[in-house]
Amino acid sequence: SARLALAPSYAIDDAAEVNAGLALTQDSRILATIQRLSDFQNRLYDSSHGVAASDWLAGEWRGIVAGRSWMKVSQVRHAGWPQKSVKLVIQGSGPGAAETVVLGAHLDSIAGNASSEVRAPGADDDASGVAALTEVIRVFSERNYRPQRTIEFIAYAAEEVGLRGSQQIAKKYQRAGKPVVGVLQLDMTAFQGDPTDLWIFTDYTNAAQNQFVADLAAAYLPLLGVGYDRCGYGCSDHASWTGRGFAASFPFEASFAHDNKAIHSANDTTTTFGNQARHALKFAQLALAYAVELG
Ligand code: BES
Ligand code: ZN
């Protein structure tokens, strides 16, 4: 198929850039971002709070990349609801600049009856994914990093109501023939549910890219234990990309059975994971290695 022409090299050969970046990542920064996102009453896709959280994140990312002309933040409007997705594009500098690597997490939260004033901190689900990506962005900006391919970080709107934000974006990219060579989804990274650190979910994902993710962990995070599991359904935004023919992976915080039981409630706060982000840091580091080695 046309998609097979996009199968990228999964060579791991940029240890200097990856290790320099890894050394700058800080769990305290991730925790601070999780806290800021959790402080919104909720981040519902159709509430004023969800809209405000999108505006706040766009401003936060803009501040982080200020002065880097090749890094641009925008908000993506969606048909049908007011919360915008937030996107940071790091323009590629090599001959492969048209090819794009996507790293995503979902911006919205949900709880209870999903009324517009419900308390839905969504600290783990999925402030922890957005915060991990934000730390990767901060390190890339600090290093004035310029990839060969173009890298996009996307905080999706409206995941919790049926992956709607990512579905619109993946559909748009497919129709435009955008050469997306790989997609990584971070959804729930802060709660360590098992002694094994990193769980690679094998359904609605791409087996070859999953092997690359495992190889990245072995190369750069050799102390981490890696396991494999499945959601059994299209449980997060990676499924939107897989459905459109793109290669997606979903490294998760725990086995499916041992995930954070506080999600989708007012109790999904930083307290549930001990007010620290050491587990989330592992996912930020994996995402950084993924972005550099595929970018
Ligand atoms: N973060 C969850 C997905 C998840 C939950 C993965 C538990 C692994 C363990 C995500 O935000 C979510 O809630 N997804 C929905 C489905 C979606 C299509 C609305 C779900 O799992 O019910
Ligand atoms: Zn959820």
Side-chain angles (χ1 to χ4, degrees), residues 9 15-17 34 37 41 64 77 83 105 116 118 133 138 145 149 181 205 211 216 229 232 234 247 267 278 285 289:
S9 160
E17 183 63 40
I34 294 173
L37 287 165
Q41 179 67 9
I64 290 172
R77 285 172 194 282
Q83 184 183 54
S116 61
V118 74
L133 294 186
R138 191 192 66 75
Y145 174 58
R149 291 187 171 119
V181 299
T205 57
Q211 183 61 53
L216 288 170
D229 205 356
N267 296 324
R278 286 189 295 276
Q285 293 181 328

Side-chain angles (χ1 to χ4, degrees), residues 16-76:
E17 183 63 40
V18 173
N19 285 321
L22 293 181
L24 295 174
T25 57
Q26 296 173 28
D27 57 344
S28 60
R29 301 246 186 205
I30 298 173
L31 181 64
T33 306
I34 294 173
Q35 198 63 62
R36 292 298 295 271
L37 287 165
S38 306
D39 283 345
F40 289 91
Q41 179 67 9
N42 59 61
R43 300 187 303 281
L44 283 172
Y45 79 117
D46 61 352
S47 82
S48 62
H49 306 289
V51 168
S54 171
D55 294 345
W56 176 81
L57 186 68
E60 183 72 7
W61 284 6
R62 281 197 183 100
I64 290 172
V65 305
R68 278 77 175 169
S69 58
W70 65 98
M71 301 185 182
K72 286 209 163 58
V73 178
S74 61
Q75 283 174 287
V76 181

Side-chain angles (χ1 to χ4, degrees), residues 106 108-110 125-126 159-160 187-188 235 263-264:
H106 70 87
D108 64 317
S109 68
I110 200 165
D125 186 10
D126 181 24
E159 187 270 354
E160 296 286 10
D187 183 0
M188 300 169 64
C235 62
I263 66 166
H264 302 172

Side-chain angles (χ1 to χ4, degrees), residues 43 106 108-112 119-128 159-160 187-191 231 233 235-236 250 252-256 258-269 272-273:
R43 300 187 303 281
H106 70 87
D108 64 317
S109 68
I110 200 165
R119 179 75 182 119
D124 194 24
D125 186 10
D126 181 24
S128 70
E159 187 270 354
E160 296 286 10
D187 183 0
M188 300 169 64
T189 69
F191 176 86
C231 264
Y233 58 100
C235 62
S236 190
F250 179 39
F252 190 69
E253 66 183 11
S255 60
F256 186 73
H258 294 161
D259 77 316
N260 183 346
K261 306 305 178 201
I263 66 166
H264 302 172
S265 83
N267 296 324
D268 184 5
T269 66
T272 311
F273 42 88

Side-chain angles (χ1 to χ4, degrees), residues 154-264:
I154 309 178
Y156 305 106
E159 187 270 354
E160 296 286 10
V161 288
L163 319 179
R164 290 193 221 171
S166 59
Q167 272 176 15
Q168 284 188 8
I169 291 170
K171 181 178 180 180
K172 186 168 68 183
Y173 283 20
Q174 184 197 41
R175 290 196 170 172
K178 200 175 172 80
V180 175
V181 299
V183 177
L184 190 77
Q185 174 74 359
L186 296 186
D187 183 0
M188 300 169 64
T189 69
F191 176 86
Q192 180 152 11
D194 300 88
T196 296
D197 302 281
L198 173 71
W199 292 79
I200 295 173
F201 278 37
T202 56
D203 57 343
Y204 299 88
T205 57
N206 179 279
Q209 189 181 255
N210 289 345
Q211 183 61 53
F212 173 56
V213 170
D215 292 345
L216 288 170
Y220 292 117
L221 305 166
L223 301 180
L224 297 194
V226 177
Y228 294 86
D229 205 356
R230 304 160 54 88
C231 264
Y233 58 100
C235 62
S236 190
D237 299 302
H238 57 285
S240 299
W241 293 98
T242 299
R244 293 279 164 188
F246 298 107
S249 295
F250 179 39
F252 190 69
E253 66 183 11
S255 60
F256 186 73
H258 294 161
D259 77 316
N260 183 346
K261 306 305 178 201
I263 66 166
H264 302 172

Side-chain angles (χ1 to χ4, degrees), residues 102-146:
V102 172
L103 290 90
H106 70 87
L107 172 65
D108 64 317
S109 68
I110 200 165
N113 61 5
S115 73
S116 61
E117 295 304 321
V118 74
R119 179 75 182 119
D124 194 24
D125 186 10
D126 181 24
S128 70
V130 174
L133 294 186
T134 300
E135 181 60 0
V136 178
I137 292 167
R138 191 192 66 75
V139 168
F140 282 172
S141 185
E142 181 174 341
R143 288 193 51 72
N144 287 310
Y145 174 58
R146 293 208 74 154

